[in-house]
């Protein structure tokens, strides 16, 4: 078998001892008799076996000349040091070892028969280029310094992975160009410097088998398990979202097992909550806390004894428990951290504080089900590890705080991605100004000019009447129940106070039916809470026969509101569900709209869902805006409004009560400016002229059709409010198009609105929405689709 079989390389490799033998040739001339004698011994071996100097590629010859090679390498592999040194003589870039120290052979034997020795982090796809850089160094004197640490990973008798670093000695290597080797010029060298990954270029400069490698390398190998374990811990802790990775903790276990040299080790964490003086569980895949066991959180006084509490929290020092069982028996299980370990079957442990200059952040928990495996002596191994864990926890806390802020921003004060760049830009300017002047700067105004607004809403129709009706039903029900109890009580005893309360109950019942006012709810609620409730509590104590009726009465009353909250809850739950479902649908569809052209979007939950959109050049930061994107978004908005109504009515049976909704779109055909209001944490129109738009938005859904008492919004219909004739023409085209797609009906109306305060001349288009089955394959149509339909 030839060494060079199935290997793509610029080198033809021959094992040769020529360069080593030349050194011995020089030693023959020294004046030290012992050195001369030894040198002659080595040269005599070579003279009898010239192939050892000439070089060979046949791997079988390594076995044939095994004794001779061992004799030549005797000085490099001293018999005196063979039990201590980890050393090999080998072929470079391959796991072909032909001589080694006794200790290296012992390490391989311990690893087991099935173990295959392999150099780690030797990139297969870069071996060719690495060989070329060696040629540049040996033959042309260009030192590219491409040295990288190479390792063996070899398991010990306990199955613990140990790491061995390989240092190559290439003193006995010769590299000779062959006839087909192109001469490398300085221009070639400069070209190669910028093309490390261009394998074809390297092969052009260094064709396969164009150089001859004669010699061998000596590998001096060192056990660097502790250093590599620390490095692996550091690497493992770098990066984000480790807690989501199922295999992260298992890999973490393995690293600590290598560091401590024991297989039976597990690692856990717990967070220290200083404000509540408690330990809390870390959430993540495979994350455990052996201090908390199955608890989510535990106060420090319940988790630790006084001494361990002071050790961890006050002194920020680790403590170890080498024999849990022994201490558990001695303390009769009264020490909390000993008891929790004993209950889980752990017999030794180390608890180390994760602390910085500000104090304790958490606890690193290392446990084992073997006694004495973990103790105060090997706990010192953590000294080099803890700084990395502290840094990781600090970063994790910062990331968590950032995540919390991001969630708050998303849920409470959202800054839409389309305008986020502007906030980032101003924040950078803020930091720059602060850095350059040393003074506290002010955050500049965030504004966008010449943007086109779009507004729409899907609103619960007659929401005030529906809630009043639900309130009347709840209060009537509670008053009638109270009246029944009062009647039963008066049959047993006649008390004037009961007569008076019954009279008031009857009066409120009558008022609910004929004269329900805004303040009626509060008045009746206060009466039932402050007058009826104390009397019923007294009756329950004095009249045992009525106790069951009174308990039944109180069981129907909401604890927080002190009144029956049944019909109103159905109403509130329905409105809440409408808001949630419509908002989710709108958010989902908005993602599609952003792909058409980026624009600002925000929505609000009221008695329904409102949304604002702004589109224009200043928002996108690109010179790409065209009016077609506005038309596209307007058409998209109409389709989404129809789909939201479809979704609601198709699923109306799932809501607690049946309510109607009405949809409206407001058209404003002039661009305006918007500004972020720092105090309100939201965008609003900028300037007095533009304020008219906000006025219309707030009042238009309550407007009446001119000369009538009919509201402009109506269930089952889409209402489009506008003021300009060109808007009417534009939206008539959209309506006609959507009618052709069976999204809108053929009953379009053109209506005039009664004047609003400060706003006159508004009109509306109103058209019925066609409702489709949920299974219909209904797509969104673009403005281009509209144009194609018009042309055809």
């Amino acid at each position: 078998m030839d060494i060079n079989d199935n290997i793509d390389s610029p080198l033809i490799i021959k094992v040769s001892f020529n360069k080593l033998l030349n050194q011995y040739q020089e030693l023959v001339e020294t004046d030290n008799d012992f050195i001369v004698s030894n040198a002659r011994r080595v040269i005599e071996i070579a003279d009898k076996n010239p192939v050892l100097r000439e070089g060979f590629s046949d791997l079988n010859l390594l076995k044939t000349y095994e004794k001779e090679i061992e004799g030549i390498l005797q000085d490099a592999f001293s018999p005196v040091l063979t039990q201590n040194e980890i050393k090999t003589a080998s072929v470079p870039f391959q796991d072909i070892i032909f001589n080694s120290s006794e200790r290296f052979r012992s390490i391989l034997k311990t690893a087991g028969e099935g173990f295959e020795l392999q150099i780690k982090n030797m990139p297969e796809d870069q071996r060719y280029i690495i060989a070329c850089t060696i040629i540049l160094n040996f033959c042309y004197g260009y030192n590219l310094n491409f040295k990288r640490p190479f390792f063996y990973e070899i398991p010990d008798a306990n199955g613990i992975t140990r790491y061995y670093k390989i240092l190559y000695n290439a003193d006995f290597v010769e590299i000779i160009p062959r006839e087909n080797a192109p001469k490398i010029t300085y221009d070639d060298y400069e070209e190669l410097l910028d093309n490390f990954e261009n394998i074809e270029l390297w092969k052009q400069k260094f064709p396969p088998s164009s150089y001859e490698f004669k010699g061998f390398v000596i590998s001096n190998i060192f056990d660097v398990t502790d250093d590599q374990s620390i490095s692996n811990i550091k690497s493992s802790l770098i990066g984000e979202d480790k807690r989501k990775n199922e295999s992260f903790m298992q890999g973490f276990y393995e690293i600590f097992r290598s560091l401590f040299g024991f297989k039976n080790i597990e690692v856990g964490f717990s967070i220290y909550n200083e404000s509540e003086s408690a330990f809390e569980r870390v959430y993540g895949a495979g994350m455990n806390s052996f201090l908390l066991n199955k608890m989510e959180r535990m106060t420090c006084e319940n988790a630790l004894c006084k001494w361990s509490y002071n050790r961890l929290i006050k002194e920020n020092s680790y403590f170890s428990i080498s024999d849990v069982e022994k201490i558990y028996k001695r303390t009769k299980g009264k020490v909390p951290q000993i008891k929790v370990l004993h209950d889980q079957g752990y017999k030794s442990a180390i608890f180390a504080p994760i602390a910085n200059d500000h104090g304790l952040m958490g606890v690193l928990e290392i446990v084992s089900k073997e006694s004495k495996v973990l103790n105060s002596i090997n706990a010192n191994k953590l000294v080099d590890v803890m700084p990395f864990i502290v840094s990781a926890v600090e970063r994790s806390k910062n990331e968590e705080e950032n995540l919390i802020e991001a969630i708050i921003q998303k849920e409470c004060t959202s800054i839409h991605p389309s305008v986020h760049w502007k906030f980032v830009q101003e924040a950078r300017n803020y930091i720059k100004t602060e850095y350059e002047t040393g003074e506290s700067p002010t955050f500049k105004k965030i504004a966008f000019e010449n943007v086109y607004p779009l507004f729409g809403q899907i609103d619960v129709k007659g929401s005030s009447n529906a809630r009043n009706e639900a309130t009347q039903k709840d209060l009537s029900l509670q008053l009638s129940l109270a009246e029944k109890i009062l009647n039963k009580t008066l049959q047993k005893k006649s008390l004037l106070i009961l007569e008076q309360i019954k009279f008031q109950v009857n009066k409120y019942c009558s008022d609910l039916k004929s004269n329900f006012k805004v303040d009626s709810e509060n008045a009746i609620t206060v009466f039932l809470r402050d007058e009826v409730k104390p009397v019923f509590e007294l009756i329950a104590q004095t009249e045992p026969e009525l106790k069951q009726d009174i308990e039944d009465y109180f069981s129907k009353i909401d604890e927080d509101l002190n009144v029956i909250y049944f019909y109103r809850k159905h109403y509130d739950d329905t409105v809440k569900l409408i808001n949630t479902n419509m908002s989710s649908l709108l958010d989902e569809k908005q993602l599609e709209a952003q792909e058409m052209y980026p624009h600002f979007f925000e929505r609000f939950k009221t008695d329904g869902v409102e949304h604002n959109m702004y589109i224009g050049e200043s928002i996108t930061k690109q010179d790409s805006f065209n009016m077609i994107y506005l038309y596209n978004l307007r058409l998209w908005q109409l389709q989404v409004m129809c789909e939201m109504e479809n979704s609601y009515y198709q699923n109306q049976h799932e809501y607690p009560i049946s309510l109607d909704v009405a949809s409206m779109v407001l058209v404003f055909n002039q661009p305006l400016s918007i500004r972020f209001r720092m105090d309100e944490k939201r965008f609003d129109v900028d300037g007095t002229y533009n304020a008219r738009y906000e006025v219309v938005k707030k009042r238009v859904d309550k407007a009446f059709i001119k000369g009538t008492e009919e509201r402009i919004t109506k269930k089952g219909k889409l209402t489009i409010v506008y003021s300009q004739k060109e808007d009417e023409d534009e939206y008539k085209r959209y309506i006609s198009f959507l009618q052709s797609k069976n999204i809108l009906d053929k009953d379009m109306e053109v209506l005039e609105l009664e004047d609003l305060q400060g706003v006159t001349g508004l009109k509306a288009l109103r058209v019925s929405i066609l409702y489709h089955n949920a299974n219909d394959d209904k797509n969104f149509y673009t403005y281009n689709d509209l144009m194609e339909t018009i042309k055809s």
Side-chain angles (χ1 to χ4, degrees), residues 312-323:
L312 275 180
I313 298 170
K314 302 293 185 184
E315 301 174 17
N316 291 155
S317 299
Y318 73 85
F319 68 89
S320 63
I321 306 160
S322 62
D323 194 332

Side-chain angles (χ1 to χ4, degrees), residues 404-448:
I404 289 169
E405 287 301 317
I407 291 170
I408 292 171
Q409 177 179 294
K410 179 182 176 184
E411 299 298 327
C412 307
T413 57
S414 177
I415 296 174
H416 194 261
S418 63
V419 295
H420 185 262
W421 65 270
K422 187 76 171 178
F423 288 85
V424 171
Q425 187 182 78
E426 290 306 326
R428 283 180 176 152
N429 290 336
Y430 183 98
I431 294 168
K432 181 182 176 184
T433 303
E434 186 176 37
Y435 176 77
E436 290 177 347
T437 65
E439 299 176 359
S440 181
T442 56
F443 203 84
K444 291 185 179 179
K445 182 176 82 169
I446 303 289
F448 298 94

Side-chain angles (χ1 to χ4, degrees), residues 81-107:
L81 299 175
T82 192
Q83 300 291 341
N84 182 270
E85 290 184 331
I86 310 173
K87 184 183 277 190
T88 67
S90 62
V91 176
F93 310 124
Q94 300 182 53
D95 297 310
I96 299 173
I97 295 171
F98 51 81
N99 201 53
S100 61
S101 65
E102 186 61 40
R103 186 176 174 195
F104 180 80
R105 290 194 288 271
S106 173
I107 288 170

Side-chain angles (χ1 to χ4, degrees), residues 187-439:
D187 288 341
D188 294 327
Y189 166 70
E190 286 193 324
E191 184 180 5
L192 291 168
L193 283 177
D194 294 323
N195 289 279
F196 177 77
E197 295 182 352
N198 188 345
I199 184 67
E200 295 305 319
L201 178 64
W202 288 90
K203 285 189 174 182
Q204 177 189 328
K205 309 294 184 185
F206 303 92
S209 305
S210 57
Y211 290 81
E212 184 173 87
F213 175 101
K214 287 181 65 177
F216 68 98
V217 292
I218 291 178
S219 301
N220 293 289
I221 303 169
F222 302 91
D223 188 336
V224 291
T225 301
D226 285 358
D227 292 340
Q228 188 61 32
S229 296
I230 293 169
S231 177
N232 287 347
I233 288 170
K234 183 179 179 181
S235 299
S236 296
L237 294 172
I238 293 173
E240 300 177 358
D241 294 331
K242 292 292 186 184
R243 284 186 287 186
K244 296 179 182 178
N245 192 333
E246 292 276 354
S247 62
F248 170 68
M249 281 308 297
Q250 193 57 44
F252 213 59
Y253 287 177
E254 293 300 329
I255 294 169
F256 270 89
R257 287 163 183 164
S258 292
L259 180 66
F260 281 89
F262 295 103
K263 191 74 175 174
N264 192 357
I265 283 177
E266 296 175 56
V267 183
F269 298 93
S270 52
I271 298 171
Y272 174 59
N273 185 331
E274 183 179 9
S275 63
E276 299 182 25
S277 188
F279 293 113
E280 297 174 352
R281 183 176 297 280
V282 179
Y283 294 102
M287 292 278 189
N288 288 322
S289 172
F290 308 105
L291 192 60
L292 296 176
N293 195 5
K294 296 178 182 179
M295 300 286 287
E296 295 297 315
R297 68 188 304 279
M298 189 185 296
T299 60
C300 294
E301 62 182 15
N302 289 330
L304 300 170
C305 68
K306 188 174 181 180
W307 179 87
S308 58
Y309 174 87
N310 288 329
R311 185 81 173 163
L312 275 180
I313 298 170
K314 302 293 185 184
E315 301 174 17
N316 291 155
S317 299
Y318 73 85
F319 68 89
S320 63
I321 306 160
S322 62
D323 194 332
V324 172
E325 196 68 30
K326 181 179 177 181
I327 300 177
Y328 181 81
K329 289 178 180 176
R330 192 176 71 206
T331 59
K332 298 179 181 178
K334 293 181 180 179
V335 177
Q337 73 269 20
I338 300 297
K339 184 178 187 305
V340 76
L341 291 171
H342 176 271
D343 291 348
Q344 295 172 84
Y346 295 110
K347 297 184 178 179
S348 60
I350 297 171
F351 293 104
I354 304 171
N356 59 12
D357 294 340
H358 302 293
L360 188 71
M361 295 182 290
V363 178
L364 171 67
E365 309 162 359
I366 307 172
V367 298
S368 176
K369 292 190 175 178
E370 293 181 40
S371 64
K372 300 180 178 63
V373 163
L374 299 169
N375 50 66
S376 64
I377 297 172
N378 59 19
N380 285 284
K381 286 180 174 286
L382 294 176
V383 171
D384 297 319
V385 172
M386 292 310 296
F388 304 124
I389 294 177
V390 169
S391 295
V393 171
E394 285 176 329
R395 189 177 68 250
S396 179
K397 284 190 72 171
N398 290 335
E399 288 171 357
E400 187 171 32
E401 287 171 4
N402 291 338
L403 179 60
I404 289 169
E405 287 301 317
I407 291 170
I408 292 171
Q409 177 179 294
K410 179 182 176 184
E411 299 298 327
C412 307
T413 57
S414 177
I415 296 174
H416 194 261
S418 63
V419 295
H420 185 262
W421 65 270
K422 187 76 171 178
F423 288 85
V424 171
Q425 187 182 78
E426 290 306 326
R428 283 180 176 152
N429 290 336
Y430 183 98
I431 294 168
K432 181 182 176 184
T433 303
E434 186 176 37
Y435 176 77
E436 290 177 347
T437 65
E439 299 176 359

Side-chain angles (χ1 to χ4, degrees), residues 1-7 11-14 56-60 94 96:
M1 180 179 174
D2 194 285
I3 295 172
N4 300 292
D5 286 348
N6 304 316
I7 294 177
L11 298 171
I12 293 179
I13 296 176
K14 288 185 178 181
F56 56 89
S57 298
D58 186 351
L59 288 174
N60 293 320
Q94 300 182 53
I96 299 173

Side-chain angles (χ1 to χ4, degrees), residues 510-529:
S510 177
D511 289 345
L512 279 175
K513 294 174 183 177
S514 60
N515 190 29
F516 184 74
K517 298 178 182 178
V518 175
D519 60 346
S520 297
E521 178 180 359
N522 183 61
I524 297 172
T525 300
V526 170
F527 167 71
L528 290 168
R529 182 192 66 205

Side-chain angles (χ1 to χ4, degrees), residues 689-703:
Y689 172 76
N690 296 325
R692 178 173 176 269
Y693 174 69
E694 289 294 330
V695 171
V696 175
K697 265 180 19 181
K698 289 179 172 64
R699 301 173 181 171
V700 70
D701 64 322
K702 302 295 190 293

